[in-house]
Amino acid sequence: MKKGKHLYWGEEIKAELAHLEDISQKRHLFTTESADQPWLLINGRKMLNLASNNYLGLSGDERLKEAMIEAVNTYGAGATASRLIVGNHPLYEKAETALVNWKKAEAGLILGSGYTANIGIISALVHRDDYIFSDKFNHASIVDGAVLSRAKHQRYRHNDLNHLEALLKKAPIEQRKLIVTDTIFSMDGDFAHLEGLVLLKEHYNAILIIDEAHASGIYGEKGEGYAHHLKLEDKVDIQMGTFSKALGSFGAYVVGKKWVIDYLTNRMRGFIYSTALPPAVVAAAETAIEIVQYEAERRTLLQKHAEYFRGALADFGFNINGSQSHIVPIVIGENEITIKVADRLQKEGIAAIPVRPPTVPENEARIRFTVTAAHTKQELEWAVEKIALVGKEMGVII
Ligand SMILES: *Cc1c(COP(=O)(O)O)cnc(C)c1O
């Protein structure tokens, strides 16, 4: 191909798409109907939803919906400006008060998506010549935040604190250091080793940021997150999490010391230069914060379901890759076979979604299941039978 011709970039992009198709990594959109239910309609076929992040079943909750409708009627559809201009509608203060009371934090902010929260927080806190130490399996938004910050980005082997310490040791003492981790990892469903991370961050005078996206609403007595579950919340500098998973709607939060939040308000570009969340979204977040604190039975049920599902799949011989939570992968290996297994499961009525590189390491393609409090035990038992049937038929288990 000749460079310089106006068709060149188009041909190159089409070749890249063809390559993705060849290596079974091309992704396609499909439409899901009735997404807040345990049962979905995909292309007219009814399937059990074992792929959503609606962990506590709050997305369909009447109280969230009503709060959203009321917010729209009172404040309109949009916020009309960024928060530092005229977009800081009264629902923000209400929701942020609920947030800091829930998390027992000094201060907090409600932000756009978890993705924009991570890129904003990280790039505000470290800059060129600083150091970021990030778990290899951290969410893509953390990786992107690190790149945007221009700091030196060092990825330690997954949950390998010895590797992290070796990297910390090598970084110049005078340079700012930031350690960042998911508390529950998105693709494996295992936990970060928070106690060890706290010790390292104290010893090496680093900032510790945790991403509670998969743990908010689920761990801790009131669903505050995994740090609270371990009673380490005061040892962590910055906790972020989302309203888009267990809390059922959309948006993210960050909590920490008052001066940290004050700094972020002044330095996070995604906060300063982006329109405030629509009033309805903030109202849903506030309502969900109230609900998760007091409806602990949702957490208990989720744990029971997760324990059953992990145990049952592992007993059948599936490789659940050390999952300890409601995120339960079965690692299959090559892309092609993983896609075939997913297709077969869909034919059996399970919305199985294949997860492939680069989201997971090469040759570790998998189907990632998530269980929720909205499932019934019978639905999960039914799903396990089907997964085992397909697994045997396709040689994934013996
Ligand atoms: C889902 C997720 C995010 C992104 O949150 P959104 O609100 O979906 O943008 C960030 N971090 C982790 C660990 C996540 O799982």
Side-chain angles (χ1 to χ4, degrees), residues 199-371:
L199 291 177
L200 286 176
K201 88 110 193 168
E202 285 174 349
H203 191 260
Y204 290 91
N205 192 25
I207 308 167
L208 177 60
I209 302 185
I210 60 172
D211 178 340
E212 297 264 33
H214 292 290
S216 298
I218 297 169
Y219 290 90
E221 214 167 300
K222 293 190 161 184
E224 307 96 317
Y226 187 57
H228 286 254
H229 172 74
L230 299 178
K231 302 205 174 5
L232 287 173
E233 70 273 17
D234 293 332
K235 308 274 187 185
V236 171
D237 298 292
I238 296 171
Q239 304 167 44
M240 71 76 68
T242 68
F243 298 110
S244 51
K245 292 182 170 126
L247 282 89
S249 61
F250 186 80
Y253 66 77
V254 56
V255 298
K257 290 264 187 276
K258 200 165 175 320
W259 54 267
V260 171
I261 300 304
D262 197 19
Y263 180 79
L264 291 175
T265 307
N266 281 275
R267 284 287 183 258
M268 256 188 316
R269 294 170 63 83
F271 173 84
I272 300 168
Y273 298 108
S274 188
T275 300
L277 284 167
V281 172
V282 181
E286 197 251 328
T287 307
I289 291 172
E290 302 298 347
I291 294 173
V292 289
Q293 297 184 59
Y294 303 109
E295 297 186 1
E297 62 277 13
R298 291 174 187 269
R299 279 188 278 290
T300 313
L301 189 59
L302 177 64
Q303 300 302 1
K304 254 175 65 182
H305 285 172
E307 208 170 303
Y308 161 72
F309 196 73
R310 289 194 308 267
L313 290 181
D315 284 348
F316 271 112
F318 286 103
N319 172 12
I320 63 166
N321 222 26
S323 163
Q324 299 167 293
S325 68
H326 50 284
I327 298 171
V328 188
I330 55 172
V331 176
I332 295 173
E334 288 179 357
N335 294 340
E336 219 167 310
I337 170 81
T338 307
I339 291 170
K340 282 192 186 135
V341 172
D343 281 347
R344 268 293 281 124
L345 284 170
Q346 290 182 15
K347 289 209 175 75
E348 293 290 338
I350 295 174
I353 311 298
V355 185
R356 290 158 276 174
T359 309
V360 295
E362 288 295 332
N363 293 315
E364 289 186 29
R366 66 196 65 188
I367 295 169
R368 171 185 181 269
F369 295 112
T370 50
V371 297

Side-chain angles (χ1 to χ4, degrees), residues 114-156:
Y115 182 89
T116 55
N118 274 336
I119 62 174
I121 297 165
I122 293 170
S123 64
L125 283 167
V126 284
H127 310 108
R128 202 186 293 283
D129 299 329
D130 294 335
Y131 282 75
I132 297 174
F133 303 91
S134 170
D135 190 290
K136 194 95 201 306
F137 286 4
N138 275 344
H139 191 262
S141 53
I142 294 176
V143 176
D144 294 358
V147 172
L148 190 62
S149 76
R150 300 180 180 84
K152 294 191 171 60
H153 184 196
Q154 311 207 314
R155 300 176 76 187
Y156 57 91

